[in-house]
Amino acid sequence: MSIQRYLHICIGIVMMGTMGADMYCVKGQPQRILLDTDVDTDDLFALLYLLKLNRSEFDLQAITINTNAWTDAGHAVNQVYDVLYMMGRDDIAVGVGGEGAILEDGTIIQNVGGYLPIIEQGNGTAGYCRYRQAIPVGPGGRLDIDTNYGFRKSFLPQGRRKYSPLRQPTAQQVMIDKISAGPITVLIIGAHTNFAIFLMNNPHLKKNIEHIYVMGGGVRSKNPTGCCPRKAISACQTRQCGNRGNLFTAYTYNPYAEFNMFGDPFAAYQVIHSGIPVTLIPLDATNTIPITREFFDAFEKNQHTYDAQYCFMSLKMARDTWFDDQFYTSYFMWDSFTIGIATSIMRNGKPQNGENEFAEMEYMNITVITSNKPYQISDGSNPFFDGLKVPKFNLKRNGVHSGHVQTGIRDPFCLVKNGKGRCKVSTCLLFVANEKYVFSSFASPR
Ligand SMILES: *[C@@H]1O[C@H](CO)[C@@H](O)[C@H](O)[C@H]1NC(C)=O
Ligand SMILES: *[C@@H]1O[C@H](CO)[C@@H](O)[C@H](O)[C@H]1NC(C)=O
Ligand SMILES: *[C@@H]1O[C@H](CO)[C@@H](O)[C@H](O)[C@H]1NC(C)=O
């Protein structure tokens, strides 16, 4: 597998201001878009942002759902259906990541949904989701997000479409249909399982994918879950300042990983090394725009539509149930910001250096490290290698996939005495075997 990839990385931000004011349209056909999401709260903001754009410019064709992180299949599909119904968009296809099955020799069974991260897919879905454990089940976690704190049922109008177990179109089928139909841009704002499996299974369809935009990873991020402001009162508890990742309930064990990469590191590796141009919007960028008190208050006074009310309600609930009292410095615009950058670049006609109205861009060679050093040591944690004569997917025995793989959140391997965790699985790293940043190009801030 080739390791060199150019990525476009968004590194910093020039916030807000003239959204939409200097729009100029790409001539001709609207941009066809496929969105892969794990339907967390900020994914809903991102989805609504996308749906509010001019449909003659941006044509959202399909939504595929990763049900392996913040939400479960049935809830997530219904949530998306109802949001689409509210927005008058029952035409948009919705596919769900379903049962996975990858044989021991690496053969991927057709039409696999990708229910589990790739490393955990055996003949069925009996794995125990080592990575998902970074997401709490109870308060503030999966069960709250599944129903968007109950707001789906209590606020959204209900359309005709409903989740139908076993008959629900799979993410794989929807991807095949929409990607084979013509040039398309893929936006990934959750873990990469669905899309990685699609790429591994359908290399002949890669030619139709114009560009991939990803919210994920932390390259040089410094403020993953909020640092105390300089003049903070003593009650402010510093969290994870200066590290790269954002596993906020698990960062002492793994200070490096970012949720979307951590959700399925090997899938992220596949996507980043697919050969398709990728623009990454990592924590480095998203974490410079917290939802401040000023933003929140301004939003509260500007709820002029039903969908704005829905967003505000959801945001307020996210604030009121936030895991600490640092919401205004640690809740960031992750996914919606990503969609903003992606659509701004598309609207500008996809300029070479990714000029857009929100962020500065930089070219970098990066990769995703999916296991920990020492590589090549078989310790029973790594299903790609351990006990197999030929590693899955023909991976190399001494490469970045062949070391210890985090077995769970409280993996003893990850903890060092008196220190922070050492597990690095799934951080995005600068690829150091090459020269570091040979070329960096900055769009001038607007
Ligand atoms: C949407 O885009 C189309 C095509 O560029 C343009 O003709 C139309 O005026 C736009 N509509 C709005 C409301 O901006
Ligand atoms: C998985 O399926 C293969 C082929 O059908 C079979 O040989 C193997 O024993 C199965 N492995 C497990 C763990 O069930
Ligand atoms: C990325 O790596 C390739 C191959 O080594 C190199 O030619 C290129 O200049 C590098 N690009 C950047 C931006 O570092």
Side-chain angles (χ1 to χ4, degrees), residues 100-104 109 116-127 392:
I102 295 176
L103 301 184
E104 265 165 30
I109 312 236
L116 292 174
I118 292 177
I119 197 168
E120 282 172 337
Q121 292 185 4
N123 289 4
T125 53
K392 250 188 203 176

Side-chain angles (χ1 to χ4, degrees), residues 23 25-28 54-57:
M23 253 202 219
C25 300
V26 180
K27 297 206 173 61
N54 186 340
R55 210 173 144 183
S56 315
E57 291 180 84

Side-chain angles (χ1 to χ4, degrees), residues 34-331:
L34 183 145
L35 176 72
D36 189 76
T37 166
D38 57 2
V39 203
D40 191 2
T41 311
D42 73 310
D43 295 64
L44 296 175
F45 304 152
L47 171 59
L48 284 160
Y49 185 112
L50 199 48
L51 294 172
K52 293 294 254 189
L53 296 173
N54 186 340
R55 210 173 144 183
S56 315
E57 291 180 84
F58 301 104
D59 179 13
L60 181 60
Q61 290 271 320
I63 298 170
T64 49
I65 297 179
N66 183 303
T67 57
N68 194 33
W70 291 94
T71 48
D72 297 294
H75 289 294
V77 170
N78 283 331
Q79 176 76 42
V80 167
Y81 275 160
D82 289 351
V83 167
L84 291 176
Y85 178 71
M86 167 173 74
M87 302 303 286
R89 294 301 305 273
D90 275 352
D91 59 299
I92 295 174
V94 176
V96 68
E99 300 266 306
I102 295 176
L103 301 184
E104 265 165 30
D105 65 3
T107 310
I108 303 174
I109 312 236
Q110 288 298 315
N111 198 21
V112 170
Y115 183 67
L116 292 174
I118 292 177
I119 197 168
E120 282 172 337
Q121 292 185 4
N123 289 4
T125 53
Y128 68 111
C129 290
R130 62 186 81 202
Y131 299 119
R132 194 183 204 179
Q133 295 172 35
I135 295 168
V137 177
R142 178 151 43 99
L143 299 181
D144 282 341
I145 305 301
D146 260 345
T147 59
N148 195 20
Y149 307 96
F151 290 143
R152 176 176 87 82
K153 281 264 167 106
S154 66
F155 192 83
L156 287 182
Q158 317 272 304
R160 283 234 199 109
R161 291 201 288 180
K162 294 266 178 275
Y163 174 65
S164 54
L166 302 179
R167 287 195 304 271
Q168 186 69 32
T170 63
Q172 295 306 310
Q173 195 53 56
V174 168
M175 283 176 169
I176 291 167
D177 291 349
K178 297 298 177 182
I179 293 171
S180 58
I184 196 160
T185 295
V186 174
L187 313 178
I188 307 176
I189 55 176
H192 294 210
T193 316
N194 290 333
F195 194 54
I197 290 178
F198 168 82
L199 293 172
M200 292 162 87
N201 248 353
N202 303 281
H204 61 290
L205 291 177
K206 276 186 192 174
K207 61 178 193 310
N208 281 0
I209 300 158
E210 296 186 295
H211 206 99
I212 304 168
Y213 293 88
V214 171
M215 191 280 122
V219 178
R220 302 178 285 223
S221 40
K222 290 247 164 57
N223 182 26
T225 49
C227 293
C228 293
R230 248 181 230 136
K231 290 180 193 154
I233 47 162
S234 57
C236 177
Q237 276 193 348
T238 312
R239 285 179 189 271
Q240 222 186 335
C241 295
N243 294 318
R244 290 209 191 93
N246 72 343
L247 301 186
F248 54 79
T249 51
Y251 72 85
T252 45
Y253 289 75
N254 186 332
Y256 300 93
E258 178 279 334
F259 266 112
N260 290 346
M261 296 281 144
F262 190 68
D264 191 343
F266 188 72
Y269 180 91
Q270 288 293 332
V271 170
I272 280 174
H273 292 273
S274 63
I276 300 163
V278 175
T279 297
L280 186 75
I281 291 93
L283 294 178
D284 311 41
T286 59
N287 291 4
T288 61
I289 37 169
I291 302 270
T292 59
R293 189 185 297 271
E294 293 71 36
F295 179 93
F296 189 91
D297 292 346
F299 191 3
E300 187 161 29
K301 294 190 191 102
N302 283 282
Q303 302 174 54
H304 304 308
T305 59
Y306 203 71
D307 37 285
Q309 286 171 36
Y310 184 69
C311 281
F312 181 74
M313 224 177 207
S314 306
L315 183 64
K316 183 170 185 304
M317 184 55 98
R319 183 196 67 175
D320 295 345
T321 57
W322 195 234
F323 70 106
D324 65 9
D325 58 0
Q326 307 299 313
F327 178 84
Y328 294 120
T329 54
S330 63
Y331 193 96

Side-chain angles (χ1 to χ4, degrees), residues 4-6 363-365 431 434-440:
Q4 297 88 22
R5 283 295 315 134
Y6 289 103
Y363 273 106
M364 260 186 205
N365 285 322
F431 183 61
N434 287 313
E435 58 275 55
K436 280 184 192 159
Y437 332 84
V438 176
F439 169 60
S440 59

